[in-house]
Amino acid sequence: MAQIKRPKKRNLNIGDLILVLILIGIIVGVYTSFMNTEAQPVEFTYSEFIESIEAGDVIRVETVPEAGEFNTGIYNVSGQLVDETSFFTKIPTTETYNSTLRLLQANEIPFSIRSVNNVNFLSIISWLFPLVLIFGAFFFLMRNSGGSGAGNRAFDFGKSKATMQKGKTTSFKDVAGLDEEKGELEEIIDFLKNPKKYLDIGARIPKGVLLIGPPGTGKTLLARAVAGEADVPFYLISGSDFVEMFVGVGASRVRDMFKNAKATAPCIVFIDEIDAVGRQRGAGMGGGNDEREQTLNQLLVEMDGFGTNSGIIVIAATNRPDVLDPALTRPGRFDRQITINNPDVLGREAILKVHARNKKVSKDVTLKEIARRTPGFSGADLENLMNEAALLAARDNRKNLALNDIDEAVDRVMMGPAKKSRKYTAKERERVAYHEAGHAVIGLRMSHASVVHKVTIVPRGQAGGYNLMLPDEETFLETKSSLEDKISGFMGGRVAEEIIYNDVSTGAHNDFQRATQIARAMVTEYGMSSLGPVQYERSNGPVFLGRDYTKSRDFSDKVAFDIDNAVREIIDAAYQRSKDMINEHRTLLDTITHYLLEIETLTFEDIEEIDKTGKLQWWDDKRAEEVTEPVIGDTKENAA
C-alpha cells in the first residue's frame, strides 16, 4: 500500500529564536544610537538666518522648494554654522529667495539648490533597512517553525490533526487477557478484509465501537491491534485535538478528518478519550461551550447523518461513559459497546507472560503465583510491575529476575518504595507490630476473611506497615458474611492497640475509611441492613458538574438518620467481633508481634508455621547458632 509522503517538518529551534531576537536587538540599538549621534537641527527665523550670514557664522546652505515647483513658492533652507550646529528655516517668497542667494554669493558661502524630485537614497535606505530586516526575521521564524509550505499554515487551522499510521506494528499476540473482547472485534477485522461477504447477505457492519473501561486496561492497545490485524490505514486522534477556543474550528477538523478517511477507506479512525468532546450537551454549570457542542454535532452527523461513510469504522475509548451524550451512544453511531475490566487471575497470568517475553526471568519464578498475588491489577500495572522488577535486578547487577525482585516490585507498585531511613521510636515500632499482627490474627481465624500472605512493619508510602491479604479464590459476587468479615479485618489493628496499650493511635485512619465505605454500600446500595432491599444511593464515580450537583436526594431526613445508624451498627458489630477474636487468640497475637519485631517481614509460609506450631523454627535455629565469642582472659582460672 502506497505511503503518503508528507513534507518534512523542522521544529523551531529555540537557539534560532534567541539568535534572531539578539540580532534584531543589536540592529535596533545601533540604529538608535546612530540616529541619536546626529545633533537635532535648530529652527531659525528668517531674520535670524540673515543675521547669521552677515555675522559670518554660516558655512554651508542647502535649499529645497517646498511647493514642488523650482523658483516658485516657499523654500526650505538647511545648513550648518561655524560651531557645527545644524539649523533650518523657511524663505517665504521667491523675491526673498533670490535676494538671499545674492547675499550668500556676496559672503562667499557655498550653497546648493536641490530639486524636490531628487531622492536621497541614503536617507531612505537608512529608514527602510531596519524594517526589512525585522520583517525578514519574522518570515524566517514562520518558515522554519513549520517546514515547507508553512506559509499556508493559517489556512490549515481547521485541518484535522489525526495522524495516519501504517504497518503492522501491533497484533492480537500483543494483547492478552482480553479473549472475549478480541472475539468481538474479529468480526470487524473480517469485514475490513472481506466486506463483500457481509454486504451480499445484507448485514451492516457496526459504524462505531466504544471501548469502555478503567484506565490502564488496554483500550488503546486493543484498537492498535485491530488496525494491525486488518492491515488498513489507522487514524489516531485525541478528543482534545478537536477542542479550540474559536467556534467552528473543531467541527471543521471533524469534517476534514472524515474527508481524509474516505479517501483511504476502508480504514479505522480511533478517537482516544472521546469524553473530551462527547460530553452531554446542555449540562448547565460545568457543561460545554458552543465550540465543543458544535464539534459534537458535526461528529454525530458524520457518523450517522444524511451522508454515508462506508468503509470507515470509528473506534473510541473512554473511562467515563456516564458523561457521554446519549445521541452519541445510540445504535447507528456507536452500535457496539465493549466493556474492558481489570483482568482476572487467568488474564493476569497471560498478561505477565506477554511482558516477560523480553525479560530474563529465573526458573523459580512462577507467573501463576504472581498473578494470584495481584488481584485488581490492570494491564498497565502488571507491565509496570515487571519493569520495576527488571530495574531492581539491574540495579543489583543480576542477570535474571529473581522471585524477591518481583516480590519487592509488587510492594512498590501497591504501596511505594520502602522507607527504611524513617526512624521510629522503640515504642512506636512495637505499636505498629501489634497493629499489623491484629490484622493477621483476624485474617487467620475468621472463616470468610482474606488469607494473609505477607505482614511487614517496614514503612511504605504513608503506612507504617501493611498486611497483604488476598482472597482464597476470586469471586464475582460478595456475600453479606464476607463483607462483614472484611470490615472486622480492618478493625483488627485498632482492636489490638486498644487491648495491649489501653489506648489508640492515628494509625487506623485508612482502615476506618475503607471499612466505612463498605458498610455504607451495604446499607445504601446492596440492601444488606435492617432498612431492607432498597437502594438509596448509587456509585457514580467522579461527579459530573452540572448534572450530579443538581440531582435531588431520593430519601428523607428520617431515612438519612436511619442510614447513619445502620452503618454504625455494622461497624460496631464488626469491632466487637474483632475484639472477641483477638482476646481469644492473644497468644497468637503476641507470637506474631515477637517475630515481626525480630524479622520485620513475615511471608505466607512463616505465618502458616507460626499459626500451626507457635514458633518460627528457621529463625530460632539461626539465633541459636549465633555464638558470642569469649572475652579475652575470661577463663575458669580468672573467674576463680
Side-chain angles (χ1 to χ4, degrees):
M1 194 173 292
Q3 186 174 3
I4 298 177
K5 293 184 178 180
R6 299 181 180 273
K8 186 176 181 181
K9 292 186 177 182
R10 177 182 179 270
N11 294 329
L12 178 62
N13 189 349
I14 190 65
D16 295 340
L17 178 61
I18 294 175
L19 182 61
V20 171
L21 293 177
I22 292 175
L23 181 61
I24 292 175
I26 293 174
I27 293 172
V28 171
V30 171
Y31 180 75
T32 304
S33 63
F34 171 76
M35 295 296 294
N36 290 336
T37 55
E38 295 184 356
Q40 296 298 322
V42 178
E43 183 177 3
F44 283 177
T45 62
Y46 180 71
S47 59
E48 291 175 342
F49 172 54
I50 297 299
E51 291 176 357
S52 298
I53 294 175
E54 293 174 347
D57 295 336
V58 178
I59 61 174
R60 179 176 58 82
V61 173
E62 182 183 55
T63 64
V64 181
E66 184 178 86
E69 294 293 335
F70 192 69
N71 285 339
T72 60
I74 301 173
Y75 292 82
N76 292 321
V77 177
S78 60
Q80 191 174 14
L81 301 178
V82 176
D83 58 358
E84 298 184 354
T85 301
S86 300
F87 68 91
F88 71 94
T89 187
K90 289 182 181 295
I91 300 178
T93 62
T94 304
E95 292 76 8
T96 308
Y97 172 74
N98 292 331
S99 63
T100 303
L101 294 183
R102 289 192 293 271
L103 181 62
L104 291 173
Q105 290 176 348
N107 289 273
E108 298 181 350
I109 298 174
F111 63 90
S112 60
I113 303 172
R114 182 162 57 88
S115 172
V116 72
N117 296 323
N118 293 336
V119 181
N120 190 342
F121 289 101
L122 183 61
S123 176
I124 295 176
I125 291 175
S126 66
W127 282 100
L128 288 182
F129 177 72
L131 298 176
V132 172
L133 187 62
I134 291 174
F135 280 111
F138 278 109
F139 177 78
F140 172 80
L141 291 177
M142 295 297 294
R143 187 172 185 272
N144 285 274
S145 62
S148 60
N152 296 325
R153 287 182 67 85
F155 300 99
D156 295 339
F157 192 62
K159 297 295 184 181
S160 171
K161 291 186 177 182
T163 57
M164 186 173 67
Q165 300 181 358
K166 291 290 190 80
K168 190 174 181 179
T169 57
T170 308
S171 66
F172 276 164
K173 293 180 181 180
D174 302 313
V175 182
L178 300 174
D179 296 335
E180 292 79 7
E181 291 80 358
K182 288 191 291 187
E184 288 287 318
L185 293 170
E186 282 177 354
E187 182 181 277
I188 295 175
I189 296 172
D190 190 31
F191 171 79
L192 291 171
K193 290 181 177 179
N194 307 299
K196 189 174 184 301
K197 179 176 72 172
Y198 294 88
L199 297 177
D200 289 345
I201 203 172
R204 179 183 62 83
I205 201 66
K207 294 183 179 180
V209 179
L210 184 62
L211 305 179
I212 302 171
T217 50
K219 300 183 291 296
T220 305
L221 179 66
L222 188 60
R224 287 207 314 264
V226 171
E229 292 290 337
D231 195 22
V232 295
F234 179 71
Y235 290 89
L236 173 63
I237 192 170
S238 172
S240 61
D241 289 333
F242 294 114
V243 181
E244 290 287 349
M245 67 179 294
F246 302 108
V247 177
V249 174
S252 175
R253 289 177 179 175
V254 172
R255 289 191 295 269
D256 187 65
M257 179 182 69
F258 278 91
K259 179 182 177 182
N260 296 336
K262 288 178 186 177
T264 57
C267 64
I268 293 175
V269 175
F270 177 62
I271 306 176
D272 199 9
E273 304 296 344
I274 194 173
D275 53 276
V277 70
R279 287 175 178 259
Q280 292 183 16
R281 292 167 290 183
M285 59 172 289
N289 48 56
D290 290 338
E291 158 62 8
R292 184 187 57 76
E293 292 192 0
Q294 294 301 329
T295 305
L296 175 59
N297 292 336
Q298 186 63 44
L299 181 62
L300 297 176
V301 171
E302 292 290 345
M303 291 190 67
D304 187 23
F306 287 103
T308 57
N309 289 319
S310 58
I312 301 175
I313 295 178
V314 181
I315 300 178
T318 181
N319 52 20
R320 291 296 309 276
D322 55 306
V323 306
L324 295 181
D325 195 279
L328 192 64
T329 56
R330 72 159 175 83
R333 291 197 173 107
F334 283 106
D335 306 86
R336 186 168 297 179
Q337 298 184 17
I338 300 176
T339 301
I340 303 176
N341 293 314
N342 287 330
D344 57 9
V345 62
L346 297 178
R348 293 196 298 274
E349 183 180 358
I351 293 172
L352 286 170
K353 288 180 180 178
V354 170
H355 295 303
R357 287 184 306 192
N358 61 342
K359 295 178 177 62
K360 298 178 180 179
V361 183
S362 300
K363 295 181 179 180
D364 60 338
V365 175
T366 306
L367 296 180
K368 183 177 182 180
E369 177 62 24
I370 300 172
R372 199 170 71 86
R373 291 188 52 188
T374 52
F377 275 45
S378 65
D381 292 330
L382 295 172
E383 189 276 334
N384 186 34
L385 185 151
M386 295 301 295
N387 184 64
E388 286 287 345
L391 291 174
L392 291 171
R395 187 182 302 171
D396 294 337
N397 298 319
R398 289 192 300 273
K399 301 297 183 182
N400 298 322
L401 273 69
L403 184 60
N404 60 336
D405 294 325
I406 297 180
D407 183 68
E408 174 65 18
V410 171
D411 295 339
R412 290 171 70 92
V413 172
M414 293 179 63
M415 302 293 295
K419 297 184 178 180
K420 297 182 178 180
S421 60
R422 181 184 294 176
K423 299 299 181 183
Y424 290 118
T425 64
K427 200 65 177 178
E428 284 180 324
R429 190 167 179 270
E430 183 185 73
R431 184 184 288 272
V432 171
Y434 270 111
H435 183 102
E436 301 304 332
H439 288 303
V441 169
I442 300 299
L444 289 170
R445 287 294 178 262
M446 283 198 171
S447 56
H448 296 288
S450 300
V451 180
V452 182
H453 279 255
K454 186 177 183 179
V455 183
T456 180
I457 59 173
V458 176
R460 290 180 181 272
Q462 299 296 322
Y466 81 98
N467 271 271
L468 180 60
M469 302 177 69
L470 306 175
D472 192 21
E473 58 180 357
E474 292 186 30
T475 58
F476 184 72
L477 299 175
E478 290 279 4
T479 64
K480 182 179 179 181
S481 300
S482 65
L483 292 176
E484 289 175 343
D485 284 357
K486 277 188 176 180
I487 297 175
S488 298
F490 289 131
M491 298 292 109
R494 166 60 70 87
V495 169
E497 291 185 49
E498 184 178 355
I499 291 174
I500 298 300
Y501 299 104
N502 197 25
D503 195 6
V504 293
S505 69
T506 60
H509 71 282
N510 187 51
D511 298 331
F512 293 159
Q513 179 183 359
R514 297 167 67 184
T516 305
Q517 183 179 5
I518 295 175
R520 188 168 187 87
M522 291 175 65
V523 176
T524 61
E525 297 181 40
Y526 308 146
M528 296 179 178
S529 70
S530 58
L531 298 182
V534 180
Q535 187 180 56
Y536 297 102
E537 297 174 352
R538 64 178 182 270
S539 177
N540 285 328
V543 172
F544 181 31
L545 296 178
R547 184 192 66 189
D548 297 339
Y549 277 165
T550 59
K551 184 174 59 178
S552 60
R553 194 172 62 174
D554 296 333
F555 48 84
S556 64
D557 293 338
K558 174 64 168 58
V559 174
F561 179 75
D562 294 338
I563 289 174
D564 293 339
N565 287 335
V567 172
R568 179 173 293 279
E569 288 175 4
I570 293 175
I571 297 291
D572 290 344
Y575 194 89
Q576 188 60 45
R577 284 197 308 274
S578 298
K579 197 169 186 178
D580 296 339
M581 186 69 68
I582 291 179
N583 278 324
E584 182 180 353
H585 300 281
R586 172 65 184 274
T587 303
L588 179 60
L589 176 72
D590 293 333
T591 305
I592 294 176
T593 302
H594 166 72
Y595 285 109
L596 273 176
L597 292 171
E598 293 278 342
I599 309 174
E600 291 190 335
T601 301
L602 298 177
T603 63
F604 172 75
E605 293 77 12
D606 296 335
I607 298 170
E608 195 173 43
E609 183 179 352
I610 293 173
D611 186 27
K612 291 180 179 179
T613 65
K615 60 182 179 179
L616 194 56
Q617 193 62 47
W618 69 268
W619 178 256
D620 294 339
D621 294 341
K622 181 180 178 181
R623 294 297 300 270
E625 290 175 0
E626 294 178 356
V627 179
T628 306
E629 296 195 13
V631 180
I632 298 176
D634 188 11
T635 61
K636 291 184 179 180
E637 292 78 9
N638 291 335

